[in-house]
Amino acid sequence: MTKINEIYKCDLCGNIVEMVHTGVGELVCCGQPMTLQAEKKEDEGMEKHLPVYEQGEGCGVVKVGSVPHPMETEHFIEWIEVISDDKTVRKFLVPGDKPEKKFCVKGRVRAYCNVHGLWES
């Protein structure tokens, strides 16, 4: 059974789906089941992936990595999101951007690396 806010990825074409409702069916893309992207909560290896919310005046900034995450064409943070009780706000990044975004909502913080998957702090 799927749960709200779960992320699934197709291992063949790279399509990504986020659940907005729970359901009992199996998600399929390119003729095979999609893979649940488990939320990793502890850094491993050289790159740092954990997103951190830093409160500012009224709004805050989410930064990815205690040392800024690489933002190269082959390896970068695709998006950062904050999930509050009543909404999800997602902001996209591209190679060359700083691995951070400003948010005016508080909640769970997640980031998605195109190589290492989903991270939550």
Side-chain angles (χ1 to χ4, degrees):
M1 180 168 187
T2 60
K3 297 177 184 171
I4 293 175
N5 297 124
E6 284 183 332
I7 304 287
Y8 289 82
K9 182 176 182 180
C10 176
D11 294 328
L12 294 179
C13 74
N15 276 338
I16 296 175
V17 175
E18 181 171 2
M19 302 308 301
V20 296
H21 296 282
T22 59
V24 295
E26 179 178 56
L27 295 174
V28 175
C29 186
C30 297
Q32 70 179 28
M34 296 182 82
T35 303
L36 174 63
Q37 301 295 292
E39 297 163 338
K40 299 174 191 116
K41 298 185 182 203
E42 291 184 21
D43 270 327
E44 49 195 51
M46 297 290 289
E47 296 88 10
K48 303 302 178 195
H49 293 89
L50 290 177
V52 176
Y53 186 94
E54 295 179 359
Q55 184 61 47
E57 299 269 335
C59 296
V61 174
V62 175
K63 295 181 178 182
V64 179
S66 55
V67 173
H69 186 281
M71 293 297 289
E72 302 161 353
T73 303
E74 304 80 27
H75 184 197
F76 66 101
I77 299 298
E78 289 190 29
W79 47 263
I80 300 170
E81 69 181 2
V82 177
I83 303 169
S84 71
D85 290 337
D86 62 343
K87 66 180 167 181
T88 298
V89 178
R90 178 180 300 117
K91 297 190 177 184
F92 292 90
L93 296 97
V94 296
D97 284 351
K98 291 176 92 174
E100 61 184 59
K101 286 291 183 179
K102 180 179 178 180
F103 288 87
C104 294
V105 61
K106 294 181 186 176
R108 288 176 41 211
V109 180
R110 301 194 306 184
Y112 189 83
C113 173
N114 71 320
V115 173
H116 299 107
L118 187 61
W119 298 80
E120 178 182 2
S121 60

